[in-house]
Amino acid sequence: MIVRRYTGEDDELVQHLTSQLNTPLDWPADGGLNTEHVVEIASAAVCDVSYNQAANGHLVDLFAALPLPGTPDGHEFWGALREAGGQASWNILPANAGGPFFNYLVNGNEAGIAGRVLSFLGELDQQQREAVAKVIGSALDHSTFVTRSRYLGELWLRDAETTAWHVLLASRRNHQTEDDRKRFLEAWSNA
């Protein structure tokens, strides 16, 4: 994600730094770096980090809405999901993924979970996808979401798919270099 944020004297972050930290706009005087540069750096860093962390957090929230493994409801749910999703479901089943599944997020390997989620969804045929949507929709708290079960499951699947894609896209960016971006921009301007 390439974020372009234009700053100037009226920018909120510039105003915050000048008023709260008492830094003049030209700070440090005659230095190569001034308050506006600091704002641009901070803004870019916050956008990158928040985008990646928001996608990861949302993926966890999606799974947190499902019955917990190790509980009676969880045992029934994950068994029904395995039956509905067939072999594809082994990508996300607690019995196969185990405790470390979400520890990957803590240890900075977000793409591991996202890849498993996308593998799960990509391996489902249409009939399995509909059956999985029904199982997930039936398990979601209807007092919170107030709509039909199957539709809730479809929403969960679409959201998980898009969120996992965002996680993979954000982690891909981490491995790109400045040269990659320059080649990209040059190729597109020459097209």
Side-chain angles (χ1 to χ4, degrees):
M1 173 185 201
I2 300 172
V3 176
R4 196 51 91 191
R5 184 170 190 263
Y6 298 99
T7 59
E9 291 181 22
D10 296 329
D11 182 77
E12 288 180 42
L13 192 50
V14 170
Q15 291 176 5
H16 174 77
L17 287 176
T18 56
S19 68
Q20 298 298 316
L21 301 177
N22 200 24
T23 57
L25 285 174
D26 62 350
W27 167 84
D30 298 328
L33 187 65
N34 61 32
T35 302
E36 192 171 343
H37 292 132
V38 171
V39 167
E40 289 175 4
I41 293 166
S43 176
V46 166
C47 287
D48 265 3
V49 169
S50 64
Y51 178 77
N52 197 2
Q53 289 179 349
N56 288 321
H58 189 67
L59 197 54
V60 171
D61 288 344
L62 284 167
F63 276 88
L66 301 175
L68 298 173
T71 65
D73 287 342
H75 182 70
E76 184 180 324
F77 168 77
W78 291 103
L81 189 72
R82 184 183 67 241
E83 190 173 312
Q87 193 69 24
S89 62
W90 284 102
N91 286 296
I92 64 166
L93 287 176
N96 191 42
F101 189 61
F102 287 105
N103 289 342
Y104 290 131
L105 288 176
V106 175
N107 296 326
N109 182 9
E110 301 87 1
I113 293 175
R116 281 179 154 233
V117 169
L118 289 176
S119 292
F120 163 62
L121 295 169
E123 292 173 19
L124 295 174
D125 62 29
Q126 191 57 40
Q127 186 177 0
Q128 288 173 317
R129 190 173 175 109
E130 289 172 12
V132 165
K134 187 175 179 181
V135 169
I136 290 173
S138 296
L140 294 173
D141 182 2
H142 296 284
S143 63
T144 302
F145 298 108
V146 194
T147 191
R148 293 185 345 254
S149 293
R150 193 170 136 255
Y151 181 62
L152 281 176
E154 290 170 5
L155 290 174
W156 191 98
L157 290 174
R158 279 187 253 153
D159 199 0
E161 198 164 40
T162 302
T163 302
W165 166 244
H166 288 173
V167 170
L168 287 181
L169 188 60
S171 64
R172 175 186 169 268
R173 250 193 0 263
N174 291 336
H175 301 1
Q176 288 184 325
T177 65
E178 184 66 26
D179 291 339
D180 292 334
R181 192 163 280 162
K182 285 178 187 173
R183 282 194 303 275
F184 164 79
L185 293 172
E186 186 178 313
W188 275 89
S189 45
N190 291 335

